[in-house]
Amino acid sequence: MAAAGSPPAIAAVPDEAAAAATGLAHVQRTGYQGFGSFHSGNVEDMIADPSWEPPANPCERVADVAALAAAAAAPFGAAMRPHFLIDFAAWTFLNHGAFGGVLACAHREAEAWRVRCEAQPLAFLDRELFPQLVRVMRELAGVLRCAPQDLALLPNATTGLNTVIQSLRGRVGPGDALFSLDIGYGSVKKMLQVVAQQTGAQHVEMAVQWPVSSPAELVSQVAAALPPGARFAVFDAVTSNTAVVLPLAELVTLCQGRGVEVLIDGAHALGQLPVGLEALGADYFVGNCHKWLCAPRGSAFLHVPRGHQAHVHPLIVSHGHGSGFVSEFIWDGCRDYAPLLGISAALRAWQAVGWAEVRRYQRALLADARGALCSAWGTGTLVPLSMCGAMALVELPAGCLAAARAAAGSADPCSAAGPAAGGAAATGAAPVATATSADAKYVQDCLHFGHAIECPVKCVAGRLYVRISAHVYNELSDYRRLAAAVCAIGDVEQQSDQEKAQQQQQQE
Ligand SMILES: Cc1ncc(COP(=O)(O)O)c(C=O)c1O
């Protein structure tokens, strides 16, 4: 008898009643259908055949998803917290953007898969896993609006980014340029440097000129900087350190019009922005499921349209090699595939809650939070709200830098000249010293250790900013707590309503 809440065990034969009647009649001498010696069908057929019936999901957490959908009938915020595993009693959590935070229903579904695997490892890994992964790929393709046979499930975005960038070996060489922005993800820069060294191509990194007040400005900076020899470019859907939503459609059109292949690093896209991969038409798109989708940790995807599949191969060669794109990626050795199967629960959860409602809440909360922080600190933001998704950079008051410098034992924090650039379009603040990442770390540590607030602090063009995230479990009181903590760290008095009104007038 299965314990309450545990997944159903795998039956000895798929349909015990039928087997009892027919003996082994259901056992046919088909030979191996797919790659290697797996006892499941051919995944290339399963994924491509629209009449293929996916197996039922024996681990489906129907009640958990229904409870989440019911909670979503109330305003989001605190009502959503029981459906996440984050310790909200202990922490004010404003950093969903870093590593995400799993939905409880998705975590439990993945756990159920793990238990099911261990109950009969052969039946699970050898026979059941592939059809179940194909089912998940089809579900995910529906949300990403692409063909499922152009998708690969991976443990993280880093693997997908390496897969595409390493595929440049043999396709680029001396005289070719690999283009990226200085606001791109740090490890991607290293991936490009490695492949440049391996091939003789050159990595060209464009420094974004701040302030940037519109997507069109960014596109024209790229248009001017793209070198004639560019063959490949990487852009983030949402940049990590600066939380800027890049104008992907325009960048893809620009680059492809000049014969440049485009890889989109969409680590932050799914669950934060609407995603339509076929309509976007990028050459390669990598996304995380364990970030804004809140799927179990260790879940991501790579989209490679068929025209590029001949040159994109997994970093790990295994049994599926040479048997087609899906076969090559679906198995990279015996490991825990439960996080990938758990993507399904996260997709069903957001479907039940409403994708559009989630994005609307994130955006409205972000707008309110930005407003509250700017007003409390008398500062501004890195870019306008129209260039944000569910994250934003808000400049810290000068007192934070002073506190960081005092902690370093250095003298006058306001003696240095202000930075040439710096965005902060609306600050009107006096010039401050040029901040460094050590100052940023100091303030982030103060928030973490002194106030139990998890919120990253970034240094951009010599200025300090918090990067706030807004997900369905956040509410305005979280950001008010952040506002007060920053004022305490920087020894800043929160502005009175009169001062705020005056500043507002000056800015208008
Ligand atoms: C823009 C961007 N790309 C790639 C990654 C890497 O994601 P992962 O660590 O899941 O591989 C991140 C992680 O934060 C990111 O922000």
Side-chain angles (χ1 to χ4, degrees):
M1 174 98 176
S6 65
I10 300 178
V13 289
D15 182 341
E16 283 173 275
T22 59
L24 292 178
H26 66 289
V27 178
Q28 292 171 3
R29 191 174 182 280
T30 60
Y32 294 110
Q33 303 289 295
F35 59 80
S37 59
F38 286 92
H39 290 260
S40 41
N42 185 313
V43 291
E44 306 293 334
D45 296 340
M46 289 179 212
I47 202 106
D49 179 1
S51 67
W52 180 76
E53 282 285 334
N57 175 356
C59 298
E60 188 173 343
R61 307 292 299 189
V62 177
D64 288 345
V65 172
L68 173 68
F76 293 165
M80 301 302 275
R81 292 183 182 174
H83 300 280
F84 288 82
L85 298 190
I86 294 168
D87 183 359
F88 293 110
W91 291 93
T92 299
F93 198 76
L94 295 173
N95 193 4
H96 194 94
F99 297 119
V102 72
L103 273 165
C105 60
H107 174 78
R108 290 192 199 117
E109 194 158 310
E111 278 296 300
W113 279 114
R114 243 172 238 125
V115 172
R116 187 173 171 89
C117 170
E118 298 310 334
Q120 218 296 30
L122 267 293
F124 175 76
L125 290 164
D126 212 6
R127 297 175 189 271
E128 191 174 28
L129 176 64
F130 291 172
Q132 290 291 349
L133 286 173
V134 171
R135 172 182 60 76
V136 174
M137 288 163 73
R138 284 186 169 211
E139 292 168 2
L140 183 61
V143 170
L144 297 172
R145 288 180 283 159
C146 67
Q149 54 269 55
D150 297 348
L151 277 184
L153 298 180
L154 298 170
N156 50 44
T158 301
T159 304
L161 294 161
N162 270 282
T163 302
V164 175
I165 292 170
Q166 277 295 308
S167 81
L168 293 169
R169 291 170 75 174
R171 300 180 58 237
V172 297
D176 293 332
L178 316 175
F179 183 83
S180 68
L181 305 182
D182 65 345
I183 53 174
Y185 195 61
S187 68
V188 170
K189 181 178 184 165
K190 294 185 175 173
M191 294 172 210
L192 291 169
Q193 284 167 347
V194 166
V195 90
Q197 265 171 9
Q198 290 165 335
T199 62
Q202 192 193 0
H203 174 216
V204 175
E205 186 182 82
M206 182 193 105
V208 170
Q209 298 304 305
W210 302 103
V212 174
S213 56
S214 74
E217 248 181 78
L218 256 178
V219 177
S220 52
Q221 286 189 28
V222 172
L226 207 55
R231 292 277 311 281
F232 180 85
V234 188
F235 300 105
D236 299 20
V238 186
T239 60
S240 178
N241 277 339
T242 45
V244 179
V245 175
L246 297 185
L248 296 187
E250 292 81 354
L251 291 169
V252 167
T253 304
L254 168 73
C255 289
Q256 290 179 342
R258 297 202 197 168
V260 180
E261 284 185 2
V262 182
L263 162 62
I264 301 299
D265 176 353
H268 286 273
L270 183 56
Q272 178 173 179
L273 303 175
V275 181
L277 296 187
E278 251 155 43
L280 177 64
D283 296 278
Y284 317 93
F285 191 108
V286 169
N288 264 332
C289 298
H290 56 212
K291 230 184 244 288
W292 291 85
L293 189 73
C294 309
R297 205 163 303 292
S299 58
F301 64 89
L302 164 65
H303 179 252
V304 183
R306 251 143 293 173
H308 289 308
Q309 288 179 2
H311 60 253
V312 178
H313 301 283
L315 301 169
I316 305 292
V317 175
S318 187
H319 298 296
H321 180 74
S323 298
F325 183 78
V326 175
S327 305
E328 290 200 353
F329 278 93
I330 204 165
W331 176 263
D332 54 16
C334 186
R335 64 176 173 92
D336 182 11
Y337 289 83
L340 300 180
L341 296 168
I343 292 171
S344 181
L347 295 173
R348 275 179 279 115
W350 296 126
Q351 179 65 34
V353 171
W355 295 94
E357 283 74 12
V358 169
R359 278 199 295 275
R360 215 173 293 133
Y361 181 81
Q362 290 171 341
R363 288 194 57 75
L365 180 60
L366 190 81
D368 290 348
R370 280 170 42 123
L373 296 178
C374 289
S375 148
W377 301 335
T379 61
T381 57
L382 183 69
V383 292
L385 187 61
S386 59
M387 296 182 75
C388 295
M391 298 193 290
L393 259 63
V394 180
E395 191 170 6
L396 286 169
C400 286
L401 179 53
R405 292 298 161 88
S410 78
D412 182 5
C414 293
S415 60
T427 69
V432 292
T434 299
T436 67
S437 63
D439 300 315
K441 177 171 168 22
Y442 172 78
V443 180
Q444 184 168 337
D445 284 347
C446 289
L447 289 169
H448 179 98
F449 293 110
H451 300 268
I453 295 175
E454 199 56 68
C455 185
V457 177
K458 307 288 181 185
C459 179
V460 181
R463 291 176 183 255
L464 294 180
Y465 298 83
V466 282
R467 187 195 70 189
I468 51 169
S469 291
H471 214 317
V472 291
Y473 54 75
N474 290 120
E475 43 183 54
L476 199 55
S477 57
D478 294 335
Y479 307 92
R480 293 204 193 287
R481 216 165 295 131
L482 173 66
V486 161
C487 287
I489 293 164
D491 197 17
V492 177
E493 272 190 37
Q494 288 207 50
Q495 287 193 326
S496 68
D497 287 345
Q498 196 186 1
E499 284 167 329
K500 285 178 198 166
Q502 272 172 359
Q503 192 182 351
Q504 186 81 24
Q505 269 175 358
Q506 280 166 5
Q507 287 168 9
E508 281 166 2

